[in-house]
């Protein structure tokens, strides 16, 4: 039986534990270009239109995953129920993602509260963060950054695919202490909200 | 929408409202807290810290961070943390520190501004405003992140089974990464549980495994002298002895001696 | 989008780590009979005719597996990818190596997170660890130690060849600056492969 190239790609993606790069897929065939591999992937995705799976490109390559719509139906079958992450966890990983590399102390400074050891441990256990070096200050604190696995977990290809941060408005730095209410009025035009 | 100082004087923020919490009248209930008392505790616990609470106080009233009415907001803030301690919520030190910061800003706002060679003094609120803005930015980013599709919650990576018996995938090992992993574990331990951990000479650990190996192979008792390698000399005896003591301590083996100075025997604990 | 039942079954089989029984699949839909589930499976298998995957019934249920013909093509891909150890795996084996004999509970205590059964299973499968006794405490937990094979895999002659802690510190003050972004999951130059 002659095996169709796109179905070999499908089998390759399905048999791999990790996402596969275009180069990995190219190595399966002789004389195939990366553009051709991408066309085959598009063809497969078109075939998956009515199905509950799809091919997604993430940071470490291509992988097949279930579509969101089918998830709720499948949850009862999962041994591990999806766990809800705490707000503290989201804020911590968001800081590491947007401000990397960052130390734990810097995270605490911005959040205004201490970061529990459990949150950091948990993020390491998920392999969402890694130590990329040590800051040359007192105590040589570890500099934390996100991993490819973090991006993979959110179906992202690169850090810049994260939704952009909202801009921070500049504040007038001079003020008049005696006439606070006046100065508030004159500055009112700039006091619209940031959302 | 913003209150100036005159308005503040005619608009007392406290003592107008009373709520019943756990059967107790709470007089310090902040004026804008329209929350059923039973939900109050849960609500107050939901703040991620002082910045989060301050942001709530500002955003709830539709005020701008840039022009935070410090007198009003700091009064409310203090009421909230009083309420929190009244409800016996664990009040992190950061909350109290913020109360002090707010009080300091308040007093600086009342003083005439200082003009130095470098120009006019910075708005006393500036630093707090920057922190609030920076925190709000990350808080919103975290909320957005939470809405992104997430593996395990919104989708799963799928796999087909493959019969790979023929292929033994090579394992990449690195002594450097092994050591790094160990070092990192120890660093974490040091950071979180100081003084609980100390390093032991490796040779003792290794000897413990060797002794257990020997005991398993012999499936009976082994004399202490059998465990000693003559070539290792005195140091070897010490290491073996320490390993034996450690194994007794970890309750993995039995040790017995019929009479003083007679042969010491070791055996596995029976399960 | 209305999800077709057979494709829900496909997604269920692909997202499960273990084969699924007919009853598991029946639980996904209301009022479906086992005969109907089997018909849907046959329909899927008919669709897979030209593809490189198939649904196979094994003793513990149904699973989707790659076809034999394609496995030969995929071998280079599997060989190409040396198995990388996860951070959790490195930490666990490091603790067993340096602190042997040690129980799983003690590892968990030091790491501050639970050690998944998979990691321990995996280390046994690699024949890197063995049980050398049982601790005489509640539950008689197994005392774990490393094997000769572990030493071989890491090019060591004996456990005491592992660098002592002080040396590790020195190693990494230079190691960190050279390989700033490298971490447990990325390849490092000193890595070698074992079969």
């Amino acid at each position: 039986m002659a095996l169709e190239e796109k179905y070999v790609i499908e089998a390759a993606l399905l048999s791999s534990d990790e996402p596969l790069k275009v180069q990995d897929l190219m190595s399966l065939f002789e004389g195939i270009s990366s553009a051709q591999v991408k066309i085959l992937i598009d063809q497969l995705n078109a075939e998956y239109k009515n199905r509950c799976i799809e091919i997604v490109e993430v940071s470490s390559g291509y992988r097949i995953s279930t579509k969101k719509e089918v998830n709720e139906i499948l949850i009862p079958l999962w041994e591990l129920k999806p766990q809800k992450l705490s707000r503290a966890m989201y804020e911590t990983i968001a800081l590491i993602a947007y401000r990397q590399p960052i130390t734990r102390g810097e995270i605490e400074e911005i959040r205004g509260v201490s970061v529990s050891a459990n949150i950091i441990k948990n993020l390491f256990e998920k392999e969402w963060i890694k130590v990329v070096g040590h800051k040359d200050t007192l105590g040589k604190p570890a500099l934390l950054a996100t991993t490819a696995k973090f991006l993979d977990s959110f179906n992202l290809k690169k850090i810049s695919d994260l939704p952009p941060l909202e801009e921070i408005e500049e504040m007038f730095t001079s003020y008049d202490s005696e006439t606070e209410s006046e100065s508030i009025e004159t500055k009112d035009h700039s006091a619209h909200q940031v959302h | 929408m913003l209150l100036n100082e005159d308005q503040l004087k005619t608009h007392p923020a406290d003592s107008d409202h009373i709520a019943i919490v756990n059967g107790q009248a709470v007089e310090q209930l902040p004026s804008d807290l329209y929350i059923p008392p039973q939900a109050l505790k849960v609500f107050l616990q939901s703040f991620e810290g002082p910045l989060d609470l301050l942001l709530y106080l500002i955003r709830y009233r539709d005020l701008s961070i840039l022009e935070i009415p410090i007198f009003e907001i700091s009064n409310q803030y203090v009421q909230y943390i009083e309420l929190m301690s009244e409800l016996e919520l664990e009040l992190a030190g950061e909350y109290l520190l913020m109360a002090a910061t707010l009080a300091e800003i308040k007093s600086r706002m009342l003083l005439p501004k200082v003009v130095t060679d470098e120009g006019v003094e910075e708005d006393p609120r500036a630093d707090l405003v920057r922190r609030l803005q920076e925190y709000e930015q990350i808080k919103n980013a975290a909320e957005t992140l939470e809405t992104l599709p997430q593996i395990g919650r919104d989708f799963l990576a799928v796999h087909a089974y493959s019969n790979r018996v023929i292929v033994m995938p090579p394992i990449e090992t690195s002594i450097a990464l092994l050591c790094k992993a160990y070092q990192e574990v120890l660093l974490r331990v040091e950071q979180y549980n100081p003084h609980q951990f100390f390093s032991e000479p490796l040779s003792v650990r290794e000897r413990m495994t060797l002794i257990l190996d020997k005991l398993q192979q012999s499936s009976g008792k082994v004399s202490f002298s059998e465990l000693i390698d003559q070539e290792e000399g005195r140091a070897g005896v010490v290491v073996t002895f320490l390993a034996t003591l450690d194994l007794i301590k970890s309750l993995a083996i039995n040790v017995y001696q019929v009479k003083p100075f007679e042969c010491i025997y070791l055996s596995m604990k029976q399960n």
Side-chain angles (χ1 to χ4, degrees), chain B residues 172-244:
Chain B
E172 203 174 270
T173 61
S174 147
I175 192 79
L177 290 181
L178 180 82
C179 296
K180 195 176 167 67
Y182 185 57
Q183 186 205 29
E184 280 174 9
V185 169
L186 295 193
L187 276 178
R188 285 212 312 264
V189 174
E190 275 168 26
Q191 235 170 314
Y192 308 134
N193 322 309
H195 315 304
Q196 270 191 17
F197 208 84
F198 57 95
S199 181
E200 280 175 69
L202 263 179
S203 47
V204 176
R205 289 267 152 200
E206 184 180 34
R207 192 57 52 99
M208 285 164 77
T209 298
L210 279 175
I211 294 173
L212 289 172
D213 272 347
K214 268 199 180 151
L215 287 175
Q216 248 175 4
Q217 280 156 19
S218 75
S219 66
K221 60 180 184 178
V222 170
S223 73
F224 185 74
S225 53
E226 281 175 72
L227 299 171
I228 292 166
D229 185 344
Q230 296 297 331
E231 285 174 22
E232 290 177 340
R234 188 186 288 253
V237 179
V238 172
V239 165
T240 307
F241 187 67
L242 287 175
T244 307

Side-chain angles (χ1 to χ4, degrees), chain A residues 76 150 186 192:
Chain A
F150 162 75
T186 55
H192 65 273

Side-chain angles (χ1 to χ4, degrees), chain A residues 124-169:
Chain A
F124 271 117
E125 199 62 16
K126 282 183 180 303
E127 292 177 49
W128 279 3
I129 61 170
K130 61 185 175 191
V131 173
V132 288
H134 292 268
K135 197 166 177 167
D136 198 12
T137 51
L138 192 73
K140 302 245 182 276
L143 284 165
L144 305 173
T146 52
T147 60
K149 190 151 179 183
F150 162 75
L151 292 172
D152 290 352
S153 298
F154 285 87
N155 266 356
L156 297 169
K157 266 179 274 182
K158 48 193 188 304
I159 279 293
S160 52
D161 288 342
L162 280 169
L165 284 178
E166 291 159 5
E167 276 178 40
I168 289 186
E169 269 184 284

